Amino acid sequence: MRIHQLFILLISFFITFPVLGQTQLDLNAKATADFQAADAEMNQVYTKILLLYKNDVPFIKSLRSAQRAWLVFRNAELDALYPVNPNEDRHLIYGSVYPMCYANSKTELTRARTEQLRAWLKGVEEGEVCVGSVKLDRELKKGLK
């Protein structure tokens, strides 16, 4: 019976050990790394779109403009989520979790934008209407070959 209790205690320790080892700095670093991965993925998708649609000059110009506007929107959205007065420090107002929360919110917005951009890589089936500059999926498949 004693060995059984010791075994359960040891298993409980090892299951919770990774949680006990995380500091706020670790959580902040992980959230930042998650954002960097999401940002890299979005940039890859954006670059693929630029290559696939390179001959559609008006679209490329508009997409670049939209992406710049989205970056302004994203930053404004984050400022609205974590507002401060001039000369205030967000870290003092929102605490030690601020870098993690900020990075998590930035990651969420970036992933949503990536999904919006993917529409130009997925394409649409023939017969779809109101898709604007999104190419037909069969055209995209030819372009990828």
Side-chain angles (χ1 to χ4, degrees):
M1 184 71 168
R2 194 100 159 133
I3 294 175
H4 181 69
Q5 290 172 336
L6 182 59
F7 180 74
I8 290 174
L9 181 64
L10 282 172
I11 291 204
S12 298
F13 175 77
F14 286 111
I15 288 173
T16 59
F17 182 75
V19 175
L20 296 175
Q22 290 184 330
T23 65
Q24 189 59 54
L25 285 175
D26 295 332
L27 296 170
N28 294 350
K30 181 178 180 331
T32 298
D34 288 348
F35 164 70
Q36 289 169 342
D39 191 53
E41 181 181 5
M42 180 183 68
N43 286 321
Q44 287 175 344
V45 169
Y46 181 76
T47 300
K48 286 180 184 177
I49 294 167
L50 293 176
L51 289 171
L52 277 171
Y53 290 77
K54 66 185 173 195
N55 295 327
D56 190 345
V57 177
F59 166 70
I60 295 296
K61 183 179 177 185
S62 294
L63 178 66
R64 285 189 170 130
S65 176
Q67 191 66 8
R68 283 189 298 272
W70 179 82
L71 289 168
V72 170
F73 162 79
R74 181 200 65 192
N75 294 338
E77 186 77 4
L78 291 167
D79 285 343
L81 190 57
Y82 298 102
V84 293
N85 290 316
N87 301 322
E88 287 184 327
D89 184 346
R90 284 182 170 88
H91 293 88
L92 293 175
I93 294 172
Y94 298 107
S96 62
V97 298
Y98 168 73
M100 178 189 70
C101 296
Y102 185 88
N104 286 341
S105 297
K106 200 171 182 181
T107 300
E108 185 179 320
L109 290 167
T110 301
R111 287 184 177 146
R113 177 60 178 162
T114 302
E115 286 310 305
Q116 292 170 343
L117 291 171
R118 282 189 203 283
W120 281 281
L121 295 179
K122 290 177 184 174
V124 294
E125 291 183 22
E126 193 163 354
E128 289 288 328
V129 295
C130 300
V131 293
S133 59
V134 178
K135 291 183 178 186
L136 295 175
D137 54 1
R138 65 180 165 83
E139 290 178 48
L140 289 174
K141 287 176 187 170
K142 283 182 196 175
L144 294 173
K145 290 181 181 179

